[in-house]
Amino acid sequence: MLGSLKPQPADKILALMGEFRADPRKDKIDLGVGVYRNAEGVTPIMRAVKAAEKLLWESETTKTYTGLAGDPAFNAAMADLVLGEAAGAERIASVATPGGTGACRQAFELIRMAAPAATVWVSDPTWPNHLSMLRHLGVPMRPYRYFDADSRAVDFAAMMADLAQVRAGDVVLLHGCCHNPTGANLTLPEWQAVAELMERTGAIPMIDIAYQGFGDGLEEDAAGLRLLAARLPEMLIAASCSKNFGIYRERTGALIALCDPAPREVVQGTLAHLNRQNFSFPPDHGARLVTIILGDPALRADWQAELEEVRLGMLALRRQLAEALQEAAGSDRFGFIAQHRGMFSRLGATPEQVERLKREHGIYLVGDSRLNIAGLNARTVPILARAVVAVGI
Ligand code: PLP
């Protein structure tokens, strides 16, 4: 049986991580991996997370199973964090999941169960795992244009032209903020226009929000999603705590389904059923840390303050890089870097140029020229700027 298996395509980003590790050059720079790092190159444990772990260690009396949906207090805290006042509890069904990936996976399975003929529309480009999970599950998908290669901004006219073809019941997958891999995001009036299109066509939005608080602020980053939630009857949200709480390996996330109050219980039961089929009880440690932090005013304030430091640090790096590139290139064609938000920006380089950055300069980017801003610091910004110009980007 097992001998019949064929090798799976390697995950490009994980393969790049391996290549970087094997590179003996001392001055190599990793801008590939999608993990936040501070100026010292460390992915720190946030202060509030450490404090919550201490509280949990002191107060936890059992490790017996939680419910299939996870801890109800976590689900309520996440709905509040993501949705604010945009939807009442009577419309919300939700489960804890293993990270944002688990939330996306469960959402795709839910779509397949509820509407097997529905097409999931995905931005071109999108996070590659969206595509591979949809393909793995056999869910029909279609791309919609999103990124303008010249301006490196959202090509909103093209996006809306493509989405005009959605049918009632199709699902449109949008990134809530900090689009991965491009860094280019919708403005609020554009979210408004998307809401109108969804109302007109009867399509259902699915929002993947993996970087809330990394873009323009915790509330600002959820504003588009909340606008849709307040206007449309149904919506799916895959939320990740990996980045904004810095708890990547704890596998913490939530799938939230908004629906009419009447079917809410059945939707909730179906989400729990899907958890049961795939892994039974969701991971709990990270979820409990998040619940403690969000429920304790002092810890919450400290978490928000540290998250804000992280966000502002990345914004400062964006500005420094845009300026250094302006100086090195003698033009402002890289101004888009300061406009993008989140950890990533797509530089718009060819695969050959990305390869030259790696080979000649020891600078590692993902092949599509996505760079992780958080991999930079004040010392490496000018090095990158000179190398980008040297390879002709
Ligand atoms: N969605 C997007 C767009 C992402 O970039 C990521 C992480 O890279 C995720 C979801 C899932 O993150 P995790 O499963 O680590 O919570």
Side-chain angles (χ1 to χ4, degrees):
M1 173 184 83
L2 298 178
S4 69
L5 290 172
K6 304 208 168 40
Q8 293 297 317
D11 182 301
K12 290 200 177 94
I13 299 178
L14 299 184
L16 193 73
M17 269 165 87
E19 239 184 290
F20 180 80
R21 254 186 253 118
D23 187 334
R25 285 174 287 187
K26 285 223 160 46
D27 54 354
K28 60 188 176 177
I29 302 173
D30 176 14
L31 305 178
V33 179
V35 170
Y36 171 75
R37 271 167 290 158
N38 63 19
E40 286 75 48
V42 173
T43 305
I45 301 177
M46 295 177 90
R47 296 182 299 262
V49 167
K50 267 288 184 206
E53 282 191 312
K54 186 159 185 283
L55 285 173
L56 184 58
W57 185 79
E58 283 164 356
S59 62
E60 194 172 48
T61 53
T62 179
K63 296 265 187 203
T64 188
Y65 292 124
T66 56
L68 282 178
D71 177 10
F74 170 71
N75 292 332
M78 285 301 289
D80 181 58
L81 180 69
V82 173
L83 283 160
E85 306 280 303
E90 74 288 351
R91 291 184 58 206
I92 299 176
S94 67
V95 284
T97 55
T101 309
C104 286
R105 167 71 190 245
Q106 300 299 75
F108 295 152
E109 293 215 20
L110 185 73
I111 293 164
R112 192 174 61 169
M113 260 181 102
T119 294
V120 175
W121 292 73
V122 288
S123 64
D124 178 19
T126 189
W127 184 46
N129 224 9
H130 287 152
L131 306 178
S132 62
M133 282 192 279
L134 286 166
R135 213 174 288 126
H136 179 71
L137 291 169
V139 174
M141 62 171 143
R142 275 184 71 176
Y144 59 86
R145 282 172 291 167
Y146 184 79
F147 189 63
D148 177 52
D150 292 330
S151 64
R152 277 85 153 186
V154 176
D155 187 347
F156 192 64
M159 172 176 167
M160 292 301 272
D162 287 352
L163 290 182
Q165 300 169 56
V166 299
R167 290 166 310 171
D170 279 355
V171 174
V172 178
L173 176 51
L174 299 146
H175 296 223
C177 61
C178 307
H179 186 270
N180 180 7
T182 68
N185 298 291
L186 300 182
T187 62
L188 262 191
E190 288 169 346
W191 279 103
Q192 194 91 34
V194 169
E196 275 154 27
L197 181 131
M198 301 278 183
E199 272 173 342
R200 210 169 49 244
T201 57
I204 296 150
M206 171 177 161
I207 312 293
D208 180 359
I209 183 154
Y211 301 92
Q212 189 182 355
F214 268 36
D216 290 310
L218 263 183
E219 304 300 316
E220 292 83 348
D221 289 348
L225 165 168
R226 290 176 186 177
L227 189 151
L228 295 188
R231 283 183 64 164
L232 298 163
E234 291 192 347
M235 171 158 145
L236 300 176
I237 303 167
S240 167
C241 302
S242 300
K243 318 287 154 91
N244 54 5
F245 287 87
I247 49 173
Y248 303 79
R249 66 172 64 165
E250 301 300 351
R251 312 309 301 132
T252 309
L255 170 59
I256 300 172
L258 295 187
C259 57
D260 283 334
R264 198 204 72 86
E265 258 188 53
V266 174
V267 176
Q268 181 64 47
T270 308
L271 293 180
H273 167 83
L274 281 173
N275 272 7
R276 182 66 168 161
Q277 305 323 304
N278 284 326
F279 43 76
S280 269
F281 303 91
D284 184 65
H285 183 75
R288 231 157 261 272
L289 301 178
V290 167
T291 312
I292 291 172
I293 293 168
L294 293 179
D296 177 312
L299 283 183
R300 186 177 181 129
D302 191 43
W303 166 68
Q304 280 188 212
E306 192 169 357
L307 181 58
E308 193 62 1
E309 284 164 30
V310 164
R311 185 181 80 80
L312 293 176
M314 287 190 291
L315 266 187
L317 282 169
R318 285 191 175 280
R319 266 184 241 113
Q320 287 164 27
L321 180 59
E323 275 167 30
L325 279 164
Q326 187 180 35
E327 207 178 296
S331 90
D332 58 8
R333 67 177 191 274
F334 292 102
F336 64 86
I337 292 199
Q339 305 307 318
H340 288 171
R341 286 294 178 271
M343 273 201 309
F344 307 119
S345 273
R346 180 179 266 201
L347 267 190
T350 63
E352 293 73 31
Q353 289 165 328
V354 172
E355 184 60 29
R356 281 187 62 196
L357 278 178
K358 182 168 72 183
R359 214 178 43 241
E360 296 169 22
H361 301 272
I363 297 175
Y364 285 69
L365 261 58
V366 180
D368 66 0
S369 78
R370 182 192 85 171
L371 79 92
N372 178 0
I373 292 288
L376 289 166
N377 58 37
R379 185 185 64 80
T380 53
V381 161
I383 298 173
L384 172 65
R386 283 194 296 273
V388 162
V389 174
V391 302
I393 299 171

